[in-house]
Amino acid sequence: MFAKISKKGQVTLPAEVRKLLNLHPGARVRFVVEKNAARILPVEGGIETLKGAVKVSAPQDFKAARHKAMEERSREKSARTRC
């Protein structure tokens, strides 16, 4: 199977690959680079899928944590553009 890279660096995955990896429009993939090759792996869900992966002493509010992280990132970006 072959694919051509566009001017923007985009590649259309062949239908056979999409079917094999069960990829649908909007699906996310990650690239793992190993020496002179790259593997494409499907990404299962977002940060919410990590819920329960780490033991904590009290319930966690992921929406609040995400909001706080986004605010901090916004402040950092704003501070860099002011310099």
Side-chain angles (χ1 to χ4, degrees):
M1 287 178 276
F2 295 92
K4 184 176 179 181
I5 299 175
S6 74
K7 291 178 184 178
K8 291 183 177 182
Q10 298 169 327
V11 175
T12 299
L13 295 176
E16 189 175 328
V17 173
R18 293 192 310 267
K19 287 177 187 173
L20 177 70
L21 297 177
N22 195 28
L23 298 173
H24 303 283
R28 298 183 62 83
V29 295
R30 86 181 164 108
F31 297 89
V32 178
V33 177
E34 300 169 334
K35 295 185 181 180
N36 293 328
R39 291 189 300 146
I40 299 172
L41 302 172
V43 174
E44 302 293 331
I47 191 170
E48 290 85 9
T49 62
L50 297 174
K51 188 174 182 179
V54 177
K55 301 293 181 200
V56 293
S57 59
Q60 303 294 304
D61 184 349
F62 283 98
K63 286 184 180 179
R66 184 180 326 122
H67 182 71
K68 182 179 176 184
M70 289 171 66
E71 285 179 342
E72 289 174 2
R73 174 79 169 128
S74 178
R75 280 194 292 274
E76 288 171 2
K77 254 182 136 173
S78 180
R80 280 196 303 260
T81 58
R82 284 189 231 142
C83 296

